[in-house]
């Protein structure tokens, strides 16, 4: 009687080796070369139109370079910077620029957000209103400035005509001829022309917020204001940071309005003079290229510092995957 222990062991056939999948060859070098190739035109344009002019401005700011002058160019050190920092017109321009940006950035951002929330609702003719609000953006600022200059005429302008009717003639300011009303007129023109661009950006951000968040908020009993505060604003955080940064940069480069709208550029009595206008008149009217370059360097560094501070205070939230 045989038992299972007496059976000879059955030889096992060796298993065929499992074919391993070969890892795809790394194409890091090829991808890096393709990235450099595709980015080369943008880098070249950036170098030609931004880096090289800025480096040239830094170099010229330490010289007495003049426009179309037979005098030899000499190194003057910090003389140009000392001149602009002791020039009252420079500080007036700097103050006007800062005031304009401090008013336009919050006003235009709030107006764009309000319009975006309005046209994002399911209302009749919403596409029509989106188009109407966006149309001023495609208008060239020089053309918009001329149109608003006609509208703001003290005697025959439409704006004063409406204000005079509503206030029985008690409020009809001389917009562009008054040192108190010239800057508000330019602010009004700028907000009207630029609010449509920010509205479109906010509209894209609103449409990216999941509808389920609003449904959950309504189930919890949140009213319209609470939904806006706890759902809309947090969902638009990154969009809001971007809009504020872009609007601030556009505000600091104010030029067309202050050049076209007043009777004299920067008038009346320098109440609308800005850094860009100061730069233009110093370099091309007074032909002091060295001093204009110093203004350009100081202005660039100031705008860069403001932008970095804004990015620091309003860091974008990154999606966690």
């Amino acid at each position: 009687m045989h038992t299972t222990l007496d059976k000879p062991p059955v030889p096992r056939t060796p298993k065929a080796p499992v074919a391993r999948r070969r890892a795809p060859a790394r194409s890091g070098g090829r991808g890096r070369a393709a990235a450099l190739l595709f980015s080369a035109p943008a880098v070249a344009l950036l170098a030609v139109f931004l880096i090289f002019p800025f480096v040239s401005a830094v170099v010229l700011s330490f010289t007495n370079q003049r426009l179309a002058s037979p005098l030899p160019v000499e190194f003057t050190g910090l003389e140009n910077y000392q001149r602009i920092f002791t020039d009252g017109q420079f500080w007036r321009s700097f103050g006007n620029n800062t005031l304009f940006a401090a008013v336009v950035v919050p006003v235009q951002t709030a107006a764009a957000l309000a319009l975006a929330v309005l046209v994002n609702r399911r209302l009749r003719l919403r596409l029509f209103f989106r188009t109407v609000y966006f149309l001023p953006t495609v208008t060239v600022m020089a053309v918009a400035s001329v149109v608003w200059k006609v509208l703001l005429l003290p005697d025959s302008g439409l704006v004063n005509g409406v204000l005079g009717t509503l206030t029985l003639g008690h409020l009809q300011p001389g917009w562009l001829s008054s040192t108190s009303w010239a800057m508000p007129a330019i602010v009004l023109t700028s907000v009207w022309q630029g609010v449509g661009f920010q509205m479109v950006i906010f509209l894209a951000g609103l449409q990216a917020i999941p509808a389920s968040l609003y449904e959950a908020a309504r189930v919890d009993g949140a009213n319209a204001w609470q939904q806006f505060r706890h759902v809309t604003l947090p969902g638009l955080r990154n969009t809001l940071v971007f809009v504020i940064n872009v609007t601030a940069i556009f505000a600091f480069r104010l030029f067309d309005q202050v050049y076209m709208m007043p009777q004299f550029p920067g008038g009346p009595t320098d109440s609308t003079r800005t850094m860009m206008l100061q730069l233009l008149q110093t370099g091309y009217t007074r032909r002091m290229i060295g001093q204009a370059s110093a203004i350009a360097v100081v202005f660039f560094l100031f705008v860069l510092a403001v932008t970095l501070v804004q990015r620091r205070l309003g860091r974008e939230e990154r999606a966690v995957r």
Side-chain angles (χ1 to χ4, degrees), residues 152-154 159-160 163 172-178 181-185 188:
L152 294 172
L153 290 175
V159 175
N160 272 0
L163 288 177
Q172 288 182 312
W175 293 93
L176 300 175
S177 59
S178 170
W181 289 98
M183 185 58 76
L188 177 64

Side-chain angles (χ1 to χ4, degrees), residues 147-229:
V147 172
W148 275 94
K149 183 176 182 178
V150 175
L151 294 176
L152 294 172
L153 290 175
D155 298 326
S156 58
L158 179 62
V159 175
N160 272 0
V162 174
L163 288 177
T165 303
L166 295 177
T167 62
L168 300 179
H170 290 86
L171 182 61
Q172 288 182 312
W175 293 93
L176 300 175
S177 59
S178 170
T179 56
S180 301
W181 289 98
M183 185 58 76
I186 292 175
V187 169
L188 177 64
T189 304
S190 303
V191 171
W192 173 85
Q193 194 272 345
V195 71
F197 174 72
Q198 284 82 357
M199 181 201 71
V200 172
I201 299 176
F202 276 129
L203 185 60
L206 287 172
Q207 294 177 352
I209 300 177
S212 58
L213 297 179
Y214 292 99
E215 295 176 359
R218 284 192 292 268
V219 170
D220 291 339
N223 54 29
W225 169 248
Q226 291 172 336
Q227 293 178 33
F228 176 79
R229 180 181 176 184

Side-chain angles (χ1 to χ4, degrees), residues 238 317-321:
N238 295 344
E317 292 182 349
R318 296 181 180 179
V320 180
R321 296 182 180 180

Side-chain angles (χ1 to χ4, degrees), residues 94-132:
F94 181 82
N96 290 335
N97 248 129
T98 305
L99 175 63
F100 178 83
V103 175
V104 166
V105 172
V107 171
Q108 188 167 320
T109 302
L113 180 57
L115 291 178
V117 172
L118 178 64
V119 299
N120 191 47
R121 297 183 177 183
R122 296 181 179 179
L123 301 174
R124 292 182 179 180
L125 301 176
R126 63 174 179 174
L127 294 179
F128 169 76
F129 286 109
R130 289 179 183 179
T131 305
V132 169

